[in-house]
Amino acid sequence: MFQKILIANRGEIACRVIDTCRRLGVATVAVYSDADRASRHVAMADEAVHLGGPAPADSYLRGDAIIRAAQETGAEAIHPGYGFLSENPDFVDAVEKAGLVFIGPSAKAIRAMGLKDAAKALMEQAGVPVVPGYHGKDQDPAFLAEEAGRIGYPVLIKAVAGGGGKGMRRVDDPKDFADALASAQGEARTAFGNADVLIEKYILQPRHIEVQVFGDGVRAVHLFERDCSLQRRHQKVIEEAPAPDMPARVRKVMGAAAVRAAEAIGYKGAGTIEFIVDGSDGLREDGFWFMEMNTRLQVEHPVTELITGVDLVEWQLRVASGETLPARQEDLSITGHAFEARLYAEDVPAGFLPATGRLAHLQFPEHARIETGVRPGDEISPWYDPMIAKIVTYGPTRAIALRALETALIDTEVAGSVTNLEFLIALTRHGGFRKGEVDTGLIARDLDDLIAGSEPDPRSVALAALGVAGLDDPETRAGVTLWQPMRRTVTWEGGEAVLEALGPGQARVTLDGVTHEIRQQGGRWWVDGSPRRSRVVRHPAGVSVFGGRSVTLKPLDPLDRAGAEAGNALTLSPMPGLVKAVFVEAGQAVQEGDRLAVLEAMKMEHTLTASRDGVVAEVLAAAGDQVEAGAPLIRLEEQEEAA
């Protein structure tokens, strides 16, 4: 076993690797950018080395600096985590040339699976089924359009390099193909430096099921499957293991295909074979096809660990240090069920836009496995993926594990940034999902219902208003006058309420014309006669009520006299990013929904549209400009001027 390793990554995966290293007595070296100087993974590691600026190109993608840091600190090996350099074969070559061990597959194996088109051809040779499509080198738009017609719509355009849903577009109508192709190629070029795409038949009721494999360079085993069908914009939201309603015979055939795929390239370490599965008529032996292989540890690996009892990071370290496979296929079995939910800083109603902010309050339940790279007070940076944590639960049955996930999400407390927490809770309560009826289109189909409950619960707002007034402490006794309850108006940003303090732990709150009776009894809040699992918490960002549908109120600062709101005349940048394109000019008439500009942020493209009909008065940004969150980009004439 290694004495010391360097972790060439950040955030929760760096912390996850450090956890296993501590248990095994392996010393760790962290690397960090300017933005991560005070991060959790730096604090956890035995040593830490500064790499450079906050942009990945100036830090976590600097392979030469990472190798030099490993050499100077005496590390014997480098663990890449996932993302950044984890699937870069040139980096693997450089690590080995420097006399270090890369904790992962060979450069040859990564190259074999690095381009989706070449990987599919290789899988066909290995007897692994692949989706009908075009995976060739000809990238002429007219030719690709012909191939799409031959395959039959709907089709999926996919970047041949990379992953994470970037450079991927579904096309249902031939007339939309050219625009979708250009958009996918542009996003792929930005994210991966390679604009090439492939075209595949789009499976109408698809499920995304992947198989965890592990090899020692000669032999491989599989650790069963994960269902990752709950996705939005081709990115996973909730994963589970094993897949619901998976027949034993299909599991056996799919697992064997995954092992053939791994052994065909002499795979070493942890990897994942991703299959697209036709879920329209149950899971069948002839109804799954190879999509791609991720030649690294997956984000969702904890669910596999929980149902198999295997620490995949430990296996990585053992095999990389020269051991053979730690187990045979017959040694591995499934026990119970596990779920993982990805908690992100993102604005769900605004189209899942990534968000930033300082985590003024952060608390996780003790009854769940939490994988996180942040702590209370940490900043969600615009430079990296905005994941806050992975919340993982386990149970003897799927129903129990899912209920445990719902409870863990309800008991999660986060303030200081908008998050997808309420959305995740809604997913756990979705009737079809509870029954195991999942496919990759579920979220898109039911999105309106899933976000319908995102508006603040008036009873939670009333309870938070009590906190803003400082009357949430049951020991507060100053609220009663001689003849009648004390009455006062409490204000916060965006609202106000009238409070009447009735006595210790009792109050009446009138909000938007509706009166709510609140009392605290037996350590629990009661609102309008019903008990609530709610906690009132004060923090630097305001006052929050957690438990169920959480709400945060920011007390109004009477000295704050910010400028008047711009209303819908200004199109503001929703986040820090790069202006990729501007489609309008001053004097141009636009209609509600027209494209105004494209913003690139966190390696994704976001189209900004007109919020109303009008005439462009001023274009305030140009293609190539780097803008901050809230920066004005397009100004429309005032409505009376445009009339």
Side-chain angles (χ1 to χ4, degrees):
M1 179 57 67
F2 303 113
Q3 297 299 309
K4 180 189 290 188
I5 71 166
L6 180 142
I7 304 165
N9 218 294
R10 64 175 302 278
E12 56 89 15
I13 184 56
C15 297
R16 163 71 187 89
V17 174
I18 292 171
D19 283 338
T20 290
C21 287
R22 281 180 171 176
R23 183 172 59 79
L24 298 177
V26 178
T28 54
V29 180
V31 291
Y32 63 93
S33 69
D34 288 347
D36 283 337
R37 189 177 298 274
S39 68
R40 182 172 182 256
H41 80 280
V42 171
M44 287 179 64
D46 297 294
E47 301 175 61
V49 178
H50 177 246
L51 291 177
D58 297 329
S59 51
Y60 298 107
L61 293 177
R62 291 183 60 200
D64 57 342
I66 290 170
I67 292 171
R68 186 165 57 251
Q71 292 173 323
E72 292 176 352
T73 57
E76 304 154 78
I78 294 178
H79 194 300
Y82 45 70
F84 296 131
L85 295 171
S86 63
E87 295 180 282
N88 185 319
D90 295 336
F91 178 64
V92 178
D93 285 336
V95 169
E96 294 176 347
K97 185 178 180 180
L100 302 168
V101 176
F102 180 78
I103 303 175
S106 66
K108 181 180 179 182
I110 294 175
R111 288 190 176 97
M113 290 297 189
L115 296 179
K116 296 183 181 71
D117 50 357
K120 289 177 187 296
L122 181 61
M123 290 300 98
E124 283 184 302
Q125 296 173 13
V128 180
V130 300
V131 180
Y134 174 73
H135 313 128
K137 299 295 184 184
D138 192 338
Q139 295 291 303
D140 178 69
F143 174 78
L144 292 176
E146 288 181 12
E147 287 297 306
R150 179 185 62 79
I151 296 165
Y153 287 88
V155 297
L156 191 64
I157 302 171
K158 294 173 66 176
V160 301
K166 301 177 182 67
M168 187 181 296
R169 299 291 186 274
R170 172 181 169 176
V171 189
D172 296 301
D173 194 303
K175 66 180 175 58
D176 299 324
F177 184 83
D179 286 345
L181 176 64
S183 178
Q185 288 175 326
E187 192 168 89
R189 185 181 295 108
T190 298
F192 315 121
N194 184 344
D196 288 357
V197 299
L198 56 82
I199 313 295
E200 287 183 347
K201 177 68 177 174
Y202 187 84
I203 310 300
L204 287 175
Q205 291 187 6
R207 287 175 65 177
H208 182 138
I209 297 178
E210 60 189 32
V211 176
Q212 176 72 58
V213 294
F214 203 100
D216 62 6
V218 179
R219 296 185 305 111
V221 295
H222 70 83
L223 291 91
F224 311 104
E225 80 282 352
R226 299 182 287 256
D227 195 311
C228 307
S229 299
L230 275 191
Q231 302 179 5
R232 48 87 177 159
R233 298 199 312 191
H234 305 293
Q235 292 187 316
K236 301 164 188 175
V237 179
I238 294 179
E239 303 100 340
E240 62 180 297
D245 301 323
M246 171 65 78
R249 67 184 187 281
V250 179
R251 172 175 293 127
K252 183 177 180 180
V253 172
M254 191 178 291
V259 169
R260 287 200 304 274
E263 291 183 343
I265 58 172
Y267 195 78
K268 183 177 182 179
T272 300
I273 308 296
E274 299 195 354
F275 293 107
I276 188 76
V277 181
D278 183 357
S280 60
D281 190 26
L283 301 180
R284 309 182 313 276
E285 296 171 55
D286 62 349
F288 67 91
W289 301 273
F290 172 86
M291 284 199 303
E292 62 183 328
M293 181 178 190
N294 290 301
T295 52
R296 52 169 168 79
L297 198 64
Q298 287 279 91
V299 176
E300 58 273 20
H301 75 274
V303 293
T304 294
E305 294 185 325
L306 288 179
I307 67 165
T308 61
V310 169
D311 183 331
L312 287 168
V313 175
E314 177 185 338
W315 276 28
Q316 286 185 301
L317 295 174
R318 291 173 62 182
V319 168
S321 65
E323 295 185 28
T324 57
L325 276 175
R328 300 168 300 176
Q329 190 65 59
E330 54 267 31
D331 299 327
L332 300 167
S333 61
I334 296 173
T335 302
H337 207 98
F339 284 92
E340 174 183 290
R342 303 188 187 191
L343 177 63
Y344 276 97
E346 63 182 8
D347 191 336
V348 174
F352 297 94
L353 285 177
T356 57
R358 186 171 298 280
L359 296 172
H361 177 80
L362 184 65
Q363 183 170 306
F364 297 109
E366 295 182 355
H367 53 84
R369 171 171 167 172
I370 305 299
E371 307 264 332
T372 185
V374 295
R375 301 157 298 184
D378 284 354
E379 188 83 21
I380 301 297
S381 168
W383 296 103
Y384 314 115
D385 185 89
M387 181 187 288
I388 296 172
K390 300 182 309 194
I391 299 168
V392 193
T393 58
Y394 172 83
T397 67
R398 184 179 189 273
I400 292 173
L402 183 55
R403 176 57 183 152
L405 179 63
E406 179 188 5
T407 302
L409 291 169
I410 291 172
D411 291 343
T412 295
E413 302 178 0
V414 56
S417 176
V418 296
T419 74
N420 65 339
L421 183 58
E422 302 297 333
F423 176 71
L424 293 174
I425 294 172
L427 275 173
T428 67
R429 295 170 174 170
H430 184 279
F433 182 48
R434 281 187 175 272
K435 296 175 184 177
E437 299 169 354
V438 295
D439 63 73
T440 58
L442 183 150
I443 288 178
R445 286 194 307 272
D446 297 339
L447 184 59
D448 289 344
D449 290 337
L450 289 167
I451 65 176
S454 61
E455 291 298 316
D457 180 355
R459 291 170 298 179
S460 294
V461 176
L463 189 53
L466 202 67
V468 171
L471 297 179
D472 56 299
D473 186 343
E475 300 303 319
T476 300
R477 300 177 180 274
V480 182
T481 63
L482 183 59
W483 294 286
Q484 62 183 3
M486 183 185 72
R487 184 183 179 93
R488 59 176 290 196
T489 298
V490 176
T491 59
W492 59 87
E493 288 190 3
E496 65 176 24
V498 176
L499 270 64
E500 296 175 274
L502 306 177
Q506 298 183 60
R508 184 179 295 127
V509 180
T510 301
L511 178 71
D512 296 329
V514 178
T515 298
H516 302 278
E517 302 286 341
I518 300 176
R519 60 188 172 91
Q520 192 175 47
Q521 181 178 332
R524 180 183 287 257
W525 287 104
W526 294 67
V527 182
D528 298 335
S530 299
R532 297 175 64 85
R533 289 182 57 188
S534 299
R535 273 195 350 120
V536 181
V537 178
R538 293 184 184 82
H539 47 71
V543 176
S544 293
V545 170
F546 297 113
R549 288 163 61 186
S550 60
V551 64
T552 297
L553 304 183
K554 185 176 181 180
L556 194 62
D557 184 353
L559 301 179
D560 185 6
R561 294 292 182 265
E565 294 187 13
N568 58 3
L570 278 177
T571 298
L572 306 178
S573 175
M575 70 197 80
L578 175 72
V579 179
K580 289 294 295 292
V582 177
F583 302 114
V584 296
E585 58 186 22
Q588 179 177 336
V590 296
Q591 295 183 327
E592 180 181 348
D594 282 354
R595 290 195 308 166
L596 302 179
V598 171
L599 183 75
E600 179 186 284
M602 298 180 180
K603 297 184 180 180
M604 298 288 284
E605 289 189 354
H606 308 274
T607 300
L608 307 180
T609 60
S611 61
R612 62 171 171 83
D613 296 350
V615 175
V616 176
E618 193 175 5
V619 177
L620 302 168
D625 288 353
Q626 189 76 37
V627 296
E628 296 297 322
L633 306 179
I634 309 290
R635 183 174 68 85
L636 299 183
E637 292 181 359
E638 296 300 327
Q639 288 185 298
E640 56 268 24
E641 296 177 18

